[in-house]
Amino acid sequence: MPRSFNPGARWGTWEQNASNVFTMLEHRFDNEWRIKLHLLRQVSGYDMAIASASGGNPNPLDGSGVSLWRYNYTGKTRTDTAELFASGPLWLFDRKHELIVGGRISRRDWRNNGFGVDPTGPGTSNIVSDFYNWTGNIPQPRLLPVPTNSNREVHDENGVYVATRLNVHDRLKVLLGARVADYEANRLNWGVSSRLKKSGQVIPYYGAVFDLTDALSAYASYTGIFMPQTAQNEQGATLPPLEGINTEYGLKAAFFDGRLNASAAYFQLKQDNYAVPSGGLTPIGTPAYRPADGVMTEGFELEISGQLSPQWQIQTGFTHNVSQLDNVRVVTVIPANQFTFYSTYKLDGALDGLTLGGGARWMDQTWANLNNPAYGRVLFTAPSYWVVDAMASYKFNDNLLATLNIRNLLDNKYYTFYDWYNGYAWGAPRSVLLTMTYKF
């Protein structure tokens, strides 16, 4: 199908909203200690009514054999977080160290309602007569006024932590810390109730930084992982928290009085409950995942960023990241290798206020085994590709800024995998975005 093809119905909508309210209280003591209280409420929601000609497989001769997928849902997520901590100096062996002690409580409450199609109204047919001549111009159905299904999940996470930065030597810093967390999830998904509770989870952190020279440092760290997830399985239930160990080694360098920075890092993670695409969908049509234990992730990162001159800034990096289970990659639709380069330059003189920039990003090849109606499971590969971006901004004064961003400047054609939909689609074409920002 051409890149302009859209399988969605013309009347489809997916409205989203988000709001954040926060406050911070801080008190400083005469002995350089301070205490802080952070309070945060985040509320997000969605209201979707969409239909997509995505079910089945089209007959190459007449375009028959395709049906509509319908998703009619409203949802809301509210997250409340409170964190209290104290930090300050600690003197040991005639050296000044740092200590932080704190606690955090958080609750995430997600609610979702699904609505069925009124069988007595218009637009009830799910049959797509000719996929190849699909225009999305179909009658919009009338929805039932009462939800046909309701889901709710409440996730509570509480914990305390302590961390210290020890100045063992003028060139050696040692970081020690730990967090003790309690987690509980109560879920009602599609009429099925479930509960997950973990208490007294100890998440350690050890690290060290050694200054090889005034401009070059080496570091190593060992960190426990305990992270609640938002990924859901095919029944709509959120996966258990991600658990594991993360080790990292690297070098960091600063040049030109810190204006230009470079880093190289190698990392290795061992993770349980790792979210692996199941190949199916959640009840609301988003990609579904299953938890996998013993997933090993290895990779490295190289990065350079900062100022080459007061007017010229660059940011470039290369990332290699592969996750495997029993020596088999668990995710192949995400590139194992990625490279990015971006640069901006501020002009002066008669063009003072104008900034020009651009860059490129390269993505390695990806692949997936997809269902073909004639041949069964078939391996499809999306080749690697380059995309060039450009930007320009003009600062009229201290308050007003205009920015023009052009993504995929050369309008390159490339593929993006959607293996949970059993196929792949065209990548995003050239897009232009003009924004005006005014500061009060």
Side-chain angles (χ1 to χ4, degrees):
M1 302 302 291
R3 191 162 57 165
S4 59
F5 178 80
N6 184 350
R10 290 182 178 272
W11 44 259
T13 60
W14 192 332
E15 299 177 359
Q16 300 185 62
N17 60 81
S19 63
N20 296 330
V21 179
F22 65 91
T23 186
M24 182 184 73
L25 300 175
E26 179 179 359
H27 180 76
R28 296 176 179 268
F29 298 91
D30 294 337
N31 59 358
E32 298 184 51
W33 273 78
R34 61 181 179 177
I35 186 170
K36 282 187 177 183
L37 174 65
H38 289 176
L39 300 175
L40 172 65
R41 167 166 289 183
Q42 299 172 295
V43 180
S44 61
Y46 54 88
D47 186 345
M48 59 186 294
I50 59 177
S52 178
S54 301
N57 297 285
N59 185 320
L61 299 178
D62 58 10
S64 62
V66 174
S67 61
L68 291 177
W69 284 352
R70 298 184 185 270
Y71 304 105
N72 305 298
Y73 293 94
T74 61
K76 180 179 180 180
T77 301
R78 189 180 78 180
T79 303
D80 293 314
T81 304
E83 183 172 9
L84 177 68
F85 66 92
S87 61
L90 177 67
W91 288 91
L92 290 172
F93 306 108
D94 295 327
R95 284 187 172 272
K96 186 179 181 180
H97 314 280
E98 300 174 30
L99 178 67
I100 181 170
V101 179
R104 184 177 185 270
I105 59 175
S106 176
R107 165 169 285 197
R108 180 169 64 90
D109 189 342
W110 171 74
R111 305 183 187 212
N112 169 272
N113 291 315
F115 297 85
V117 172
D118 186 345
T120 65
T124 59
S125 175
N126 290 328
I127 297 176
V128 177
S129 58
D130 185 355
F131 178 76
Y132 298 112
N133 289 305
W134 166 267
T135 63
N137 190 19
I138 60 175
Q140 182 173 0
R142 184 171 63 236
L143 302 182
L144 296 172
V146 178
T148 53
N149 58 77
S150 296
N151 306 290
R152 185 182 183 187
E153 294 189 5
V154 179
H155 298 257
D156 292 300
E157 185 181 11
N158 308 316
V160 294
Y161 56 87
V162 59
T164 182
R165 179 185 176 94
L166 302 175
N167 293 314
V168 178
H169 186 273
D170 290 345
R171 290 187 176 273
L172 176 62
K173 309 295 186 295
V174 175
L175 298 90
L176 302 173
R179 178 168 62 98
V180 181
D182 296 329
Y183 176 79
E184 182 176 348
N186 292 283
R187 303 174 291 201
L188 175 64
N189 299 101
W190 304 94
V192 179
S193 298
S194 61
R195 184 186 184 209
L196 174 66
K197 185 174 183 178
K198 289 182 175 288
S199 301
Q201 297 290 308
V202 179
I203 304 99
Y205 175 79
Y206 315 114
V209 180
F210 185 77
D211 296 332
L212 301 172
T213 69
D214 291 340
L216 180 64
S217 299
Y219 72 92
S221 67
Y222 173 98
T223 310
I225 301 172
F226 184 81
M227 185 185 306
Q229 305 189 81
T230 58
Q232 296 181 332
N233 60 22
E234 295 181 16
Q235 290 71 46
T238 301
L239 301 189
L242 184 68
E243 300 184 57
I245 297 171
N246 178 16
T247 55
E248 184 173 331
Y249 313 92
L251 296 171
K252 290 186 177 182
F255 307 99
F256 311 125
D257 295 325
R259 293 191 301 272
L260 184 66
N261 299 284
S263 64
Y266 167 81
F267 54 87
Q268 184 182 77
L269 296 87
K270 182 178 180 181
Q271 300 162 96
D272 293 333
N273 299 324
Y274 186 92
V276 177
S278 68
L281 301 174
T282 68
I284 64 172
T286 56
Y289 298 84
R290 60 177 178 85
D293 293 342
V295 174
M296 298 292 297
T297 300
E298 286 188 278
F300 62 88
E301 294 179 345
L302 305 173
E303 184 175 352
I304 299 175
S305 63
Q307 293 182 332
L308 294 178
S309 73
Q311 296 168 291
W312 188 8
Q313 290 194 343
I314 66 165
Q315 181 173 358
T316 183
F318 180 86
T319 301
H320 172 77
N321 188 329
V322 174
S323 297
Q324 295 183 323
L325 179 61
D326 298 329
N327 295 320
V328 177
R329 280 187 62 178
V330 295
V331 179
T332 60
V333 296
I334 298 177
N337 301 292
Q338 302 181 45
F339 171 79
T340 59
F341 174 83
Y342 287 94
S343 179
T344 61
Y345 191 87
K346 294 182 179 180
L347 284 77
D348 54 14
L351 298 177
D352 185 35
L354 178 63
T355 299
L356 300 177
R361 41 198 165 99
W362 173 81
M363 302 293 175
D364 199 0
Q365 68 174 7
T366 55
W367 65 90
N369 288 302
L370 307 178
N371 284 325
N372 183 291
Y375 304 104
R377 298 290 284 180
V378 178
L379 177 65
F380 285 86
T381 300
S384 61
Y385 62 88
W386 284 90
V387 174
V388 177
D389 303 320
M391 66 81 65
S393 67
Y394 188 79
K395 187 176 182 180
F396 294 93
N397 51 50
D398 291 339
N399 304 101
L400 183 60
L401 175 71
T403 303
L404 177 68
N405 283 290
I406 305 177
R407 303 275 290 179
N408 195 358
L409 176 68
L410 304 179
D411 203 25
N412 288 348
K413 294 182 178 181
Y414 60 96
Y415 298 115
T416 300
F417 269 108
Y418 293 97
D419 61 331
W420 51 84
Y421 289 121
N422 238 351
Y424 53 89
W426 290 108
R430 181 193 297 122
S431 63
V432 180
L433 176 64
L434 176 64
T435 59
M436 301 289 289
T437 304
Y438 188 87
K439 296 181 179 180
F440 296 92

